[in-house]
């Protein structure tokens, strides 16, 4: 992977592929750049893609104390590598980070967001000390429990679904990246859509959700699109918290080139 140094000296690893307008792909909780392994080949004939390992994951470095501002600076460093400005596509908690970056004034030409993490319309919020609980579990060496806590308390998955995850190939990655779950929780703040702050964001933004996702994730996507002056929403075919790759790629290419 290529490397770029963020403002605080942390090394951020990224990959570049394709030809065309630049688009930076930003992952959510648990994952690193490999979450986009299927999407990049679909985009590469039309866009120059930049995928990177967020700090604390994969081949990127980390800092002793986490601050959301440092992750914004990491994204800024990748955008600089992309030529100084870029479209950004981000999912889940990564979508929250992308919104924070756009509101901080990064050179994001357009935003495409997949199911940002907010709680609206009476859907119960996670406890506000969730990040502290996650840090404690990881500090105690209970990474598997931290992953379970995030999936149950923050994502609302039932025990049987988590049991299936534990048997799957991605669970080892969940545990390896469990220390970053507190990072993603911090990014989400109080879990409310920041309506007043978003009202000042003029960046053209597309917010998508899948037709098979949870009600609370659908409501969050719709509320985010509604709060943005230049926002629009689309529901696309998919499953829980996931849009079908070929369809997502087609929508992103259309959005980038429009």
């Amino acid at each position: 992977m290529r490397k770029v140094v963020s403002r605080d000296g942390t090394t951020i690893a990224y990959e570049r592929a394709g030809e065309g307008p630049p688009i930076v792909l930003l992952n959510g909780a648990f994952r690193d750049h490999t979450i986009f392994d299927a999407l990049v080949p679909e985009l590469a004939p039309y866009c120059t893609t930049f995928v990177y390992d967020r700090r604390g994951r994969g081949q990127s470095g980390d800092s002793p104390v986490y601050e959301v501002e440092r992750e914004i600076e990491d994204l800024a460093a990748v955008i600089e590598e992309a030529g100084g400005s870029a479209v950004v596509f981000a999912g889940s908690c990564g979508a929250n980070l992308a919104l924070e970056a756009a509101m901080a004034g990064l050179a994001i030409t357009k935003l495409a967001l997949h199911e940002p993490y907010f709680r609206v319309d009476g859907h119960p919020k996670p406890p506000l000390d969730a990040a502290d609980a996650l840090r404690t579990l990881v500090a105690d060496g209970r990474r598997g429990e931290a992953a379970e806590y995030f999936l149950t308390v923050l994502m609302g998955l039932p025990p049987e679904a988590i049991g299936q995850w534990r048997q799957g190939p991605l669970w080892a990655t969940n545990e390896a990246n469990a220390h970053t779950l507190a990072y993603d929780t911090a990014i989400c703040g109080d879990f409310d859509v920041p309506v007043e702050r978003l009202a000042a964001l003029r960046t053209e933004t597309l917010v998508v959700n899948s037709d098979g996702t949870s009600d609370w994730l659908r409501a969050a996507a719709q509320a985010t699109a509604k709060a943005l002056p230049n926002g629009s929403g689309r529901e696309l075919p998919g499953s829980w918290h996931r849009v079908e790759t070929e369809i997502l790629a087609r929508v992103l290419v259309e959005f980038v080139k429009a």
Side-chain angles (χ1 to χ4, degrees):
M1 296 183 74
R2 305 182 188 207
K3 303 291 176 64
V4 64
V5 178
S6 192
R7 185 175 180 179
D8 72 341
T10 300
T11 299
I12 302 299
Y14 73 95
E15 291 184 346
R16 170 179 174 159
E19 294 292 337
I23 181 170
V24 177
L25 309 180
L26 176 57
N27 60 275
F30 289 115
R31 303 291 166 247
D32 57 22
H33 76 281
T34 59
I35 192 67
F36 298 117
D37 281 355
L39 182 59
V40 166
E42 299 286 339
L43 296 177
Y46 312 99
C47 306
T48 304
T49 63
F50 292 80
V51 296
Y52 71 101
D53 289 338
R54 288 172 55 193
R55 64 173 53 212
R57 313 172 199 222
Q59 296 184 38
S60 289
D62 204 353
S63 52
V65 177
Y66 179 78
E67 295 177 299
V68 176
E69 291 78 7
R70 303 294 80 77
E71 280 227 69
I72 293 173
E73 292 167 359
D74 299 345
L75 177 55
V78 176
I79 290 174
E80 189 62 29
E81 293 293 292
S85 63
V87 176
V88 172
F89 168 67
S92 195
C93 301
N96 297 57
L97 176 59
L99 282 170
E100 291 295 330
M103 289 187 287
L106 267 62
I108 298 173
T109 56
K110 293 181 180 180
L111 271 176
L113 308 175
H114 171 236
E115 297 182 6
Y117 189 103
F118 296 116
R119 293 290 182 133
V120 298
D121 294 345
H123 294 284
K125 291 183 184 180
L128 293 179
D129 64 351
D132 291 334
L134 288 162
R135 278 190 287 266
T136 297
L137 288 169
V138 171
D140 291 343
R142 298 152 64 190
R143 286 178 169 265
E145 290 180 51
E148 287 192 10
Y149 180 93
F150 187 89
L151 291 170
T152 55
V153 176
L154 280 90
M155 299 305 296
L157 292 183
E160 56 269 23
I162 294 173
Q164 292 175 358
W165 271 51
R166 274 193 167 276
Q167 302 303 315
L170 291 177
W171 191 258
T173 303
N174 289 356
E175 293 196 6
N177 290 333
H179 60 287
T180 66
L181 297 174
Y183 302 176
D184 283 292
T185 305
I187 290 166
C188 296
D190 63 4
F191 310 110
D192 286 328
V193 178
V195 175
E196 293 184 2
R197 295 174 62 218
L198 292 181
L201 182 61
R202 301 298 172 181
T203 306
E204 183 180 354
T205 305
L206 173 65
V207 187
V208 302
N209 65 271
S210 82
D211 58 8
T213 201
S214 301
D215 289 343
W216 68 269
L217 286 166
R218 178 181 294 104
Q222 293 171 347
T224 303
K226 182 178 180 181
L228 289 160
N230 292 314
S232 60
R234 289 186 66 176
E235 184 162 278
L236 302 173
S239 53
W240 181 81
H241 211 29
R242 180 183 178 277
V243 173
E244 292 181 15
T245 300
E246 291 183 5
I247 293 172
L248 176 61
R250 185 165 65 248
V251 168
L252 289 176
V253 169
E254 292 172 356
F255 183 63
V256 169
K257 291 186 171 290

